[in-house]
Amino acid sequence: MTTGRRPFRFDPETRATTCRTCSISALDTATEEEAKAWHAAHRPRCTPPAPPEDRPSATVLPLRRPAP
């Protein structure tokens, strides 16, 4: 068993692997070895989310059109 925290989370029950940096997930990773391989391929294009002050403000759209 390794010491320290892995840079990804692997859930054998759901067979999903999630990057801890950017929260992108991959499905159907059957083993921890497949999860490591996925993360190794994902890591070069992994980008952490922008801090809240750098994100654009949200635009809230109306749910319905006004009646004519």
Side-chain angles (χ1 to χ4, degrees), residues 16-28:
T17 303
T18 304
C19 177
R20 291 187 191 271
T21 302
C22 66
S23 301
I24 290 180
S25 296
L27 302 176
D28 290 331

Side-chain angles (χ1 to χ4, degrees), residues 17 27 29 45 47:
T17 303
L27 302 176
T29 48
R45 59 186 188 277
T47 54

Side-chain angles (χ1 to χ4, degrees), residues 62-68:
L63 295 176
R64 299 179 188 208
R65 290 187 186 179

Side-chain angles (χ1 to χ4, degrees), residues 25-47:
S25 296
L27 302 176
D28 290 331
T29 48
T31 65
E32 191 167 339
E33 290 302 316
E34 284 184 20
K36 287 179 186 177
W38 171 83
H39 191 261
H42 162 75
R43 192 164 195 143
R45 59 186 188 277
C46 176
T47 54

